[in-house]
Amino acid sequence: MYLKNRKAIVTGGPTREWIDPVRFISNPSSGKMGAALADECSRRARDTVFIHGPIEPSLISMAPYRCVAVETTADMLAAVSRELEENAVLIMAAAPADYSPVTRANRKIKKSGKKMSLELARTPDILKVVAAMKKEGRISELFVVGFAAETNDIEEYALKKLAEKNLDMICLNDVSRKDAGFGTDTNILTIFARDGMRKELPLVSKQEAAARIVDEIDARLPRFLISC
Ligand code: PMT
């Protein structure tokens, strides 16, 4: 109900961190969860933008909203920062790569019989940067939703991320379960909110999961917009 006056910024898909011109570090995120959320938001929000890593083009070929393609985690951070505005809702369903090679070779690295090691550095944590922007007062009213893709101690890690990344809500995927998480058409999620709400969703399509997530967001948005 309150989303209709707000901008929704949704991220989805993986990012790529290049080792050389033919190799990269990434993960199996397909962008399906993010695209389902962007589709749902576009039906309910004032304006929707979908910031995505490399994904199957058919997922968004008919999208009635603006799509911004990015490649690396640093690119995704820059795109998210550009789109932020007061009263917006940010949904981070993307799986940004957490590490990037310290150097990127300009030419293809030739194979040899020897072992090879790769020095990696942390990429920026987009949600932590956004949390710092809120703390510094650079943006005050932003509803932020994170995702957690976990294989073990799943609730503990999800609740830790909710607190550490100063989120309003987090959607936990147990990626060790069949038909949930990366690349699937369905998902099994537990949604936690800052106000203590805990809701388990059954196995449903990513479209249905997106609708339920957006319902929970809408129910928690402040009634009034702050004026900018
Ligand atoms: O794309 P699909 O194939 O449909 O799969 C959906 C999904 C499993 C990728 C999605 O539902 C999901 O769980 N996305 C988050 C995956 C992830 O990166 O989880 P994480 O626990 O590493 O990160 C926690 C949160 O921090 C996430 O909201 C993530 O977007 C964000 N993050 C992560 C890394 C980073 N450098 N910056 C971030 O902001």
Side-chain angles (χ1 to χ4, degrees), residues 119-135:
E119 196 183 354
L120 302 176
R122 278 299 306 266
T123 55
D125 188 308
I126 300 166
L127 283 174
K128 283 193 178 162
V129 173
V130 170
M133 287 169 76
K134 281 177 87 176
K135 198 170 173 196

Side-chain angles (χ1 to χ4, degrees), residues 48-123:
T48 298
V49 59
F50 182 42
I51 300 169
H52 60 86
I55 57 173
E56 184 57 49
S58 61
L59 257 186
I60 46 170
S61 56
M62 308 289 277
Y65 43 82
R66 200 155 50 84
C67 294
V68 177
V70 299
E71 194 161 52
T72 66
T73 300
D75 294 341
M76 186 170 276
L77 170 61
V80 167
S81 306
R82 271 195 303 273
E83 296 292 340
L84 290 179
E85 65 174 40
E86 291 295 356
N87 305 304
V89 173
L90 170 64
I91 310 177
M92 282 290 303
D98 291 311
Y99 289 92
S100 180
V102 168
T103 54
R104 175 184 170 175
N106 290 330
R107 294 177 173 194
K108 181 179 173 186
I109 299 169
K110 288 290 161 203
K111 290 189 280 287
S112 77
K114 294 183 191 154
K115 281 187 186 168
M116 183 187 160
S117 39
L118 201 57
E119 196 183 354
L120 302 176
R122 278 299 306 266
T123 55

Side-chain angles (χ1 to χ4, degrees), residues 9-216:
I9 304 156
V10 182
T11 70
T15 60
R16 286 181 181 171
E17 304 295 330
W18 290 90
I19 298 166
D20 71 8
V22 298
R23 302 177 179 99
F24 53 77
I25 297 173
S26 192
N27 62 67
S29 169
S30 62
K32 289 178 186 173
M33 191 68 244
L37 282 157
D39 290 347
E40 188 63 32
C41 286
S42 77
R43 287 189 276 274
R44 305 214 222 167
R46 189 201 75 213
D47 179 28
T48 298
V49 59
F50 182 42
I51 300 169
H52 60 86
I55 57 173
E56 184 57 49
S58 61
L59 257 186
I60 46 170
S61 56
M62 308 289 277
Y65 43 82
R66 200 155 50 84
C67 294
V68 177
V70 299
E71 194 161 52
T72 66
T73 300
D75 294 341
M76 186 170 276
L77 170 61
V80 167
S81 306
R82 271 195 303 273
E83 296 292 340
L84 290 179
E85 65 174 40
E86 291 295 356
N87 305 304
V89 173
L90 170 64
I91 310 177
M92 282 290 303
D98 291 311
Y99 289 92
S100 180
V102 168
T103 54
R104 175 184 170 175
N106 290 330
R107 294 177 173 194
K108 181 179 173 186
I109 299 169
K110 288 290 161 203
K111 290 189 280 287
S112 77
K114 294 183 191 154
K115 281 187 186 168
M116 183 187 160
S117 39
L118 201 57
E119 196 183 354
L120 302 176
R122 278 299 306 266
T123 55
D125 188 308
I126 300 166
L127 283 174
K128 283 193 178 162
V129 173
V130 170
M133 287 169 76
K134 281 177 87 176
K135 198 170 173 196
E136 290 157 11
R138 284 154 67 194
I139 188 151
S140 57
E141 187 52 58
L142 186 68
F143 193 93
V144 185
V145 182
F147 271 72
E150 306 291 351
T151 54
N152 55 287
D153 303 315
I154 60 173
E155 290 211 17
E156 189 186 328
Y157 285 130
L159 291 171
K160 196 164 168 231
K161 282 177 186 163
L162 181 75
E164 280 180 358
K165 301 192 183 207
N166 192 23
L167 304 175
D168 296 288
M169 196 181 277
I170 192 157
C171 306
L172 164 66
N173 321 250
D174 180 351
V175 292
S176 67
R177 290 173 75 178
K178 194 173 159 283
D179 299 325
F182 292 94
T184 53
D185 290 331
T186 51
N187 214 349
I188 307 170
L189 292 172
T190 307
I191 309 174
F192 300 89
R194 185 202 283 273
D195 57 23
M197 184 271 290
R198 177 189 189 284
K199 191 168 272 185
E200 276 184 40
L201 301 187
L203 174 74
V204 287
S205 67
K206 284 185 173 167
Q207 286 71 22
E208 177 63 24
R212 302 285 294 275
I213 293 166
V214 177
D215 284 345
E216 297 300 337

